[in-house]
Amino acid sequence: MGNKLTRIGRRLLQAVPSVFGIIVISFVLTRALPGDPAVYFAGIMADEESIAQVRRALGLDRGWFEQFGIYVMNLAQGDMGMSLSTGRPVLEELLSRLPASLELTLIGLSFAVLTAVPLGILAATRPGSWVDHLCRVLVTAGVSLPTFFTGLFLIYIFYYLLGWAPSPLGRLDFLYIPPPHVTGFYTLDSLIAGDFETFRASVVQLILPTVTLGLFAMAPIARMTRASMLNALGSDYVRTARANGLSRHVVLITYALRNAVLPVLTTLGMVFSFLLGSNVLVEKVFSWPGIGSFALEALVASDYAAVQGFVLSMAMLFVVVNLAIDVLHTIIDPRVGMDD
Amino acid sequence: MNRRNFLKKTATISAGAAILPFLKYMPAQAAANSDTLVVVIGNGINSLDLHRKGTNRPSYQVTVNLYDRLVRFGVKTLPDGSMSYDSTKIEPEIAESWTISEDGKALTFNIRKDAKFWDGTPVTARDVKWSLDRAVSLGGFPSVQMKAGSMTKPEQFVVVDDMTFRIDLPKPSKLTLPDLAVPIPFIINSKAAMAHATKDDPWATEYLHTTPAGSGPYKLERWDSGQQFIYVRNDDWTMGELPAIKRVIVREVPSASTRRALTERGDADFYMDVSPKDAKEFKAEGKVNVFGAPLENSMHTLGLNVKIKPFDDVRVRKAIAYAMPYQDILDGAAYGRGVPMFGGKETEPSTITWPQPFPYDTNLNKARALLAEAGLKDGFETTLTLNLGLADWQEPAALLIQESLGKIGIKVTLDKIPGASWRTAALVEKRLAMYLENFGGWLNYPDYYFFWNYKEGHLFNSMNYRNEEIEKLVDDTLFMDVNDPMYPVNVKRMLAIAMDEVPRIPLYQPYLDAAMQKNVTGYVTWFHRQLDVTTMKKS
């Protein structure tokens, strides 16, 4: 156990240089963006004098090194600066928007895993059958349909034509007031508050965006499950297990799946990080107040502090997710288990 | 199950909830009620304080609905039934009356005795002074707009007594009074604000950024950044007819398709700033009403940078003006929601109507002849830049222009850049050769438009245009009273020069459309392009 802890500790330390690198790169990259934030934020009718005033107020008249120094100092105190495009501190903005994105992404990913993994296993055990073909069709569709199209299509069918889905108005219909903030996940917070009406409302709001995101995330997971399951099923140890007369269930789950799940897990980490950043289109279509749409608006407006904050928090999340995946690996991987 | 059914079902459940110590959700009848208006907008607000740096355009509506000004513009009904603000009619708001001194250099306002802030304290001349001082002191856009009305320094604002306020001007200007009716000089409760001012922040920008302190017809109930904000009516408001709508829920819905679906399904009552394409299709379907008036003092234009060859040659500019596919742009980019600004009959205007059609129409032979005259028979290559933030009209317009100019040998490359970069390149660096833009003047005078767009060095003169006569005409006319006999003479001359030299080619005058349910009326198109809720009604 101590061995594992040191391993985790070492992994954490490894993240420090990459985080610092990310701070530098995000700082330099945002300044390389075209467009002058001072001009943008001075407003439509501003003249040169007022643009200069704004530039001074934003500290953009100083040199890059000085700006970077101030930025790092503030960061060390937990101050990520003010987002100019939303007029609120970046930290506050991220704290309120990240849970929205995380909630959607996690539920979307769970939906994808719950459908894609069984589908992949079934497809692998019956290659060439209708299940395999269904898997192929879903995977192809998931990869080739852009999420905004799937989202709009689902809205059109289930909201506009059938009227089954609630209005695509973000996390809660305007009749409801967000539950008291505990985790930032509306579903959890409303349960904590014992408010089942709001819980129900937040769950129905989640259905369409979850399916949209899930369909997109399903493809790589199902493909990877199918491929690695096929690989495992064709391996020597599965043949040995079969020859020893173990039941089909034990062969499939204990021997094949446990080995096949490792590459799936790695894929999952990738898909998660990827989804979190790329669900901006889903957020737009469903008016989801998430981090993706925030970052996009900040980019367009050259809102330095916001962009830096976004990149930084994404990087941190990436580090955490990868770390979690690594830890899970050591737990699941039978070879690691034998080492201990 | 649609929401209305759902509401009916849950109404009984929530009736019980109303007795609970605090409500977890709003009364379910809210949406169906005739005194609640549900509005969807594309871009959210980012501040409740218009004077603050970085406050975006959608936030102007907060100021419009939450605060009063000394005076306001009237409203007029257009022949087609839509309503627009009336720039010629200035009505009292906080000021019950005002007088202008003999020499025109002092405006004295009498403040209404019944004008009260939300906290019940009376509005005094000191509040007015503090608010106007703030507008000229904080810099940025507010100060620029105040300057247009010749208000630049706090010393110009004088508290005569509690209920009398005076503005001193360096010289008389017709722009001062209308400039007091734009969103900028809103009256703040100075006592409430100053209680939160600090040494570093004497104008309480941090406080007013999140906490409005006004006297207007609406108060703010809540603001969930990035999601929604809610207005509730100020029942004590007496500065005008009490608004019909009690509560307004403004919800941010970034995707235009989603906004449209919500409106068509009847879940949103009002959809502000509908794209011309959607406006046309809403009208064709007839399920919801579309209202909107042409934006005054505003045109969508093609700018030509006269510092970049060959646009320095007036014949080339005229050739391009004759090669514009005007009707196609009106049909394909504005979807018919525009007033034609081409095919004018006069090269020397007989009226001062503004904007008015320029004497150009699509005539490729004339365009070719003019190009040949300029020694460019075989055409040339150039770049047309468009602003991605305004892609819904600029992209189709740019494609049509590209095609049409191709026919007279001008090879056009399209360059799309995001709003922030566009602004830097076009307005500040003024380095774009050919570009699409959409200036709209808040003060409705042609000379005001010329001041911003045709005077050398001014922000919107991104054509780098300079004409000695225009320079002098604008200087002479900008402060001149419209009843001065020289006013129409000067304006007509300006228009004639702009028509003859065409550094910017008008395409059309845009509409500002909104879609609303059939039971919603009272929408007024404002120069500030925001929703003023006070006139809205729902039956």
Side-chain angles (χ1 to χ4, degrees), chain B residues 387-416:
Chain B
N387 180 344
L388 269 181
L390 301 169
D392 63 333
W393 73 270
Q394 291 199 346
E395 195 154 15
L399 287 169
L400 290 165
I401 291 170
Q402 184 185 37
E403 189 197 348
S404 190
L405 289 181
K407 289 184 194 153
I408 60 164
I410 303 176
K411 204 167 165 286
V412 177
T413 322
L414 295 186
D415 183 20
K416 304 175 205 173

Side-chain angles (χ1 to χ4, degrees), chain B residues 113-153:
Chain B
K113 310 266 174 313
D114 59 344
K116 286 208 167 37
F117 289 112
W118 302 324
D119 63 6
T121 56
V123 180
T124 68
R126 268 179 294 279
D127 295 302
V128 179
K129 177 173 167 54
W130 192 80
S131 308
L132 267 58
D133 283 356
R134 190 174 191 264
V136 298
S137 303
L138 275 174
F141 162 57
S143 298
V144 177
Q145 184 63 45
M146 293 298 281
K147 202 164 137 194
S150 304
M151 293 171 279
T152 52
K153 308 188 290 278

Side-chain angles (χ1 to χ4, degrees), chain B residues 51-67:
Chain B
H51 292 164
R52 190 173 173 275
K53 285 195 179 70
T55 297
N56 62 9
R57 193 182 263 250
S59 308
Y60 297 0
Q61 73 154 295
V62 174
T63 318
V64 170
N65 291 304
L66 296 189
Y67 289 95

Side-chain angles (χ1 to χ4, degrees), chain B residues 288-484:
Chain B
V288 294
N289 285 335
V290 176
F291 285 115
L295 268 171
E296 289 191 329
N297 208 0
S298 171
M299 286 189 291
H300 285 175
T301 59
L302 179 78
L304 301 173
N305 196 330
V306 300
K307 276 220 178 124
I308 295 176
K309 273 185 187 311
F311 301 124
D312 55 335
D313 189 330
V314 67
R315 288 168 301 192
V316 175
R317 301 202 294 266
K318 281 189 172 166
I320 292 172
Y322 278 118
M324 285 292 112
Y326 294 104
Q327 191 59 47
D328 293 345
I329 292 175
L330 200 55
D331 296 338
Y335 291 86
R337 298 300 289 164
V339 182
M341 282 297 129
F342 57 94
K345 296 281 170 276
E346 304 168 327
T347 48
E348 298 279 334
S350 60
T351 68
I352 59 163
T353 312
W354 181 256
Q356 62 170 287
F358 275 37
Y360 298 91
D361 210 334
T362 318
N363 186 335
L364 295 183
N365 288 331
K366 237 179 188 170
R368 282 192 198 101
L370 279 159
L371 268 191
E373 217 180 289
L376 290 164
K377 200 158 65 66
D378 301 325
F380 57 90
E381 285 187 18
T382 188
T383 307
L384 170 57
T385 310
L386 56 118
N387 180 344
L388 269 181
L390 301 169
D392 63 333
W393 73 270
Q394 291 199 346
E395 195 154 15
L399 287 169
L400 290 165
I401 291 170
Q402 184 185 37
E403 189 197 348
S404 190
L405 289 181
K407 289 184 194 153
I408 60 164
I410 303 176
K411 204 167 165 286
V412 177
T413 322
L414 295 186
D415 183 20
K416 304 175 205 173
I417 50 182
S421 324
W422 188 91
R423 202 162 288 170
T424 314
L427 304 184
V428 179
E429 294 167 3
K430 303 189 195 294
R431 62 173 169 80
L432 301 180
M434 190 196 252
Y435 53 89
L436 290 165
E437 67 87 58
N438 71 329
F439 178 83
W442 275 14
L443 306 177
N444 190 18
Y445 301 94
D447 38 318
Y448 185 69
Y449 189 95
F450 275 73
F451 173 78
W452 283 111
N453 293 280
Y454 287 93
K455 271 199 82 173
E456 197 194 20
H458 281 201
L459 190 66
F460 292 91
N461 183 352
S462 29
M463 316 83 84
N464 287 308
Y465 178 68
R466 180 178 175 90
N467 175 301
E468 295 309 327
E469 204 182 343
I470 290 264
E471 298 284 318
K472 185 168 166 359
L473 278 169
V474 173
D475 285 342
D476 289 350
T477 319
L478 193 62
F479 300 103
M480 193 183 273
D481 194 86
V482 288
N483 296 318
D484 191 307

